[in-house]
């Protein structure tokens, strides 16, 4: 509690984690730069992302491993069992059995040059929600990120259409450098209710913890090869702690 978080401390061994870290550290050209104050991304659906996977077998292997129905349902089953034993007892609503392995979510700032996807997304967005409900699908949203000084998300909730959040860390950070995953608990009836306050499928803005009835429950520190995952739900308030030091990447 406050919501189930699975940690796999040696999901990758030290050698694999070190190799992955060096690969990301040396990327010169990202799809997005300085997002949220200091995060650089390669997102699924771009030529750079496709080229990156083609050139790096380690990440190609990770992509294939997770972009799989059996792996998804295994992790979902484990997290659901933990959730049923917790105070939250939350069960996601957006479950489908079949994964569309090639699908990716359209983001205008990244995928705008993919004109076919852009047109499809435009018409899809104009459909009533009842029509969009008829075509639900599962897909693996895989992106590579390098966080630097200044990066933080602020306490937030992910999109309600997300089911499982995955984070894989490749390096250990110096003491007091920030960069941990912060997990928040509810301690007040004034805590925002995500089901009632969603805007466009996600929390509408980063909120002030001191005024929202939330408190920091614990931190998950990055370690080489560690994987963290949890269910996206109306109480999974979390934050990427501010990255504080120069010349430190996560």
């Amino acid at each position: 509690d406050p919501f189930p978080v699975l940690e796999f401390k040696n999901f990758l061994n030290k050698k694999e984690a070190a190799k992955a870290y060096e690969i990301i550290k040396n990327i010169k050209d990202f799809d997005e730069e300085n997002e949220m104050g200091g995060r650089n991304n390669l997102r699924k659906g771009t030529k750079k992302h496709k080229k990156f996977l083609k050139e790096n077998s380690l990440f190609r292997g990770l992509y294939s491993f997770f972009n799989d129905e059996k792996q998804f349902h295994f992790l979902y089953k484990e997290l659901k069992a933990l959730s049923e034993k917790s105070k939250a007892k939350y069960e996601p609503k957006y479950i489908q059995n079949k994964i569309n392995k090639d699908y990716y979510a359209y983001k205008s700032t990244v995928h705008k040059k993919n004109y076919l996807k852009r047109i499809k997304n435009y018409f899809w967005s104009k459909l009533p929600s009842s029509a969009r409900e008829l075509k639900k699908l599962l897909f693996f949203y895989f992106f590579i990120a390098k966080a630097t000084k200044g990066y933080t998300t602020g306490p937030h909730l992910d999109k309600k259409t997300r089911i499982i959040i995955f984070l894989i860390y490749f390096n250990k950070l110096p003491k007091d450098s920030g960069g941990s995953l912060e997990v928040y608990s509810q301690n007040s009836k004034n805590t925002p209710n995500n089901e009632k306050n969603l805007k466009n499928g996600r929390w509408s803005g980063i909120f002030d913890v001191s005024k929202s009835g939330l408190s920091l429950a614990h931190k998950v520190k990055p370690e080489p090869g560690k994987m963290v995952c949890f269910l996206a739900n109306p109480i999974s308030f979390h934050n990427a702690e501010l990255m504080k030091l120069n010349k430190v990447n996560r």
Side-chain angles (χ1 to χ4, degrees), residues 162-219:
R162 292 184 182 175
I163 301 173
I164 301 176
I165 310 300
F166 296 88
L167 297 168
I168 303 178
Y169 300 111
F170 303 120
N171 63 309
K172 184 176 181 179
L173 300 179
K175 186 179 180 180
D176 299 325
S177 64
S180 294
L181 170 67
E182 296 182 333
V183 175
Y184 289 85
S185 61
Q186 299 174 311
N187 56 16
S188 168
K189 293 182 180 179
N190 296 323
T191 301
N193 184 322
N194 190 42
E195 295 290 356
K196 294 180 179 179
N197 293 287
L198 283 169
K199 181 179 181 181
N200 297 325
R202 65 170 298 164
W203 176 255
S204 54
I206 305 303
F207 51 89
D208 186 341
V209 172
S210 64
K211 298 178 181 178
S212 62
L214 298 177
S215 62
L216 181 63
H218 62 271
K219 296 182 181 182

Side-chain angles (χ1 to χ4, degrees), residues 21 25 146-148 171-173 243 247-250:
Y21 172 72
K25 181 182 176 182
K146 180 171 74 172
T148 58
N171 63 309
K172 184 176 181 179
L173 300 179
M243 294 283 291
K247 298 182 180 180
V248 173
N249 299 317
R250 189 203 70 184

Side-chain angles (χ1 to χ4, degrees), residues 95-110:
I95 298 297
Q96 298 292 312
N97 289 322
K98 190 171 181 59
I99 288 180
N100 186 325
K101 294 188 176 184
D102 298 320
Y103 186 85
Y104 60 90
Y106 176 81
K107 186 174 183 180
S108 59
T109 55
V110 177

Side-chain angles (χ1 to χ4, degrees), residues 31-32 41-46 106-114:
D31 296 315
E32 293 176 299
N41 308 316
L42 283 178
R43 292 186 182 270
K44 184 178 179 179
T46 66
Y106 176 81
K107 186 174 183 180
S108 59
T109 55
V110 177
H111 302 113
K112 60 185 178 182
K113 291 185 178 181
N114 188 329

Side-chain angles (χ1 to χ4, degrees), residues 4 24 45 50 53 69 85 91 128 130 159 166 172 177 212 217:
I24 295 177
K50 186 175 181 179
L53 291 183
E69 293 167 15
K85 296 176 183 177
E91 183 175 345
S130 57
K159 294 179 180 180
F166 296 88
K172 184 176 181 179
S177 64
S212 62

